[in-house]
Amino acid sequence: MVTVTAAILAKDGKILIARRPATDRLANKWEFPGGKVEEGETAEACLARELTEELGIEARIGIFLGESCYQYEHASIRLLAFLVYWDTGELAPKVHDEIRWASLDELEHCDFAPADIPFVKKLMNGEWR
């Protein structure tokens, strides 16, 4: 099982989401930004590193929001989500083909990767504040 992190980053009542490129295994699926935890790395350190590498921002990792496990064809994923606070930097996506700020109502209309869907539901139910 691969452990992966996800950032729930809110600003002005909207949540940052990112779309995977057409060349990816999960082509055109939306997700919460994050990435794979490396050996010897904490989930929090991973998420901070991934946000810098993939989006060009520095962020503080807040509370743990939960986990989601999903069996894809290519791997078993254990997704750990955290509330995140953007400190500095300009958003500059390096691995996603699109990022955007989505309202809670918009989230349900986005085609999310299956492992991320439980967090979409938590957000829509207000289980993250």
Side-chain angles (χ1 to χ4, degrees):
M1 182 166 293
V2 178
T3 301
V4 180
T5 58
I8 307 300
L9 180 58
K11 177 183 173 186
D12 300 327
K14 295 188 175 187
I15 306 294
L16 184 69
I17 59 174
R19 190 175 66 194
R20 298 183 76 94
T23 56
D24 191 88
R25 284 186 183 134
L26 297 172
N28 303 315
K29 295 284 189 184
W30 288 94
E31 66 181 1
F32 300 106
K36 293 179 189 173
V37 177
E38 295 177 357
E39 189 172 332
E41 185 177 47
T42 66
E44 293 87 350
C46 165
L47 191 50
R49 174 183 54 75
E50 289 283 353
L51 291 172
T52 300
E53 290 175 2
E54 293 186 0
L55 296 176
I57 65 170
E58 301 291 324
R60 285 175 290 119
I61 311 306
I63 63 168
F64 176 65
L65 295 175
E67 74 177 66
S68 166
C69 295
Y70 191 82
Q71 176 65 52
Y72 290 101
E73 287 183 20
H74 63 279
S76 293
I77 300 294
R78 178 178 174 235
L79 183 62
L80 307 175
F82 294 85
L83 195 57
V84 171
Y85 303 94
W86 181 0
D87 285 336
T88 61
E90 296 295 321
L91 285 172
K94 296 178 178 86
V95 297
H96 295 95
D97 69 356
E98 183 180 342
I99 59 171
R100 75 175 188 209
W101 294 99
S103 70
L104 295 178
D105 290 337
E106 292 171 315
L107 291 178
E108 72 178 320
H109 302 293
C110 295
D111 185 17
F112 273 88
D116 290 76
I117 291 172
F119 299 111
V120 171
K121 291 177 181 175
K122 276 188 166 211
L123 290 167
M124 294 177 63
N125 291 334
E127 298 174 38
W128 61 287
R129 296 177 187 213

